[in-house]
Amino acid sequence: MSSEVLLRQEIRHSLGYVRGMIDHYSGLYSGENLTRDVLSFCDGMIRSGEPNARLREARRLVEDRCRQLADATDRFTQRDPASIAAMRAQAVAAIDLFQDAAFEWHKTRVAVPSSGRLLRRKSL
């Protein structure tokens, strides 16, 4: 497998946990903070450097959608199951955008192999 395929799988697998958090978020417990938990996980994926504009925008979108989901599931307000399902789908879609942006960002940060190694191969 190519390194791009492995990188894409690693990012998708890592964000699978976040998708699960969004799918199972109820908003009924006082200790839950979906936005903080999701963003800390996303920030952990890009800790090694400065994110580009696309990644920053994707992170901002994830933050907005998670906050909207948290507001829709607030235990002290009227809860509409259809609205909650729509907000949950939008939050997962934002994670998908973040996944694509994180892949592109990581791909640009991977060092290109030195051509010197290729030149040292034995000739046929």
Side-chain angles (χ1 to χ4, degrees), residues 22 25 27 33-39 59-74 77 83-84 87-88 90-92 94-95:
I22 290 170
Y25 181 72
N33 188 337
L34 178 70
T35 306
R36 181 197 64 215
D37 295 342
V38 168
L39 290 179
R59 184 192 180 282
R60 188 198 60 75
L61 185 63
V62 166
E63 181 178 11
D64 289 345
R65 297 293 166 86
C66 286
R67 189 168 288 129
Q68 289 172 359
L69 176 60
D71 291 343
T73 58
D74 185 10
T77 63
S83 175
I84 292 171
M87 295 296 171
R88 191 164 282 156
Q90 289 177 355
V92 169
I95 292 296

Side-chain angles (χ1 to χ4, degrees), residues 3 106-114:
S3 62
H106 279 287
K107 193 168 88 171
T108 60
R109 297 182 54 80
V110 172
V112 176
S114 169

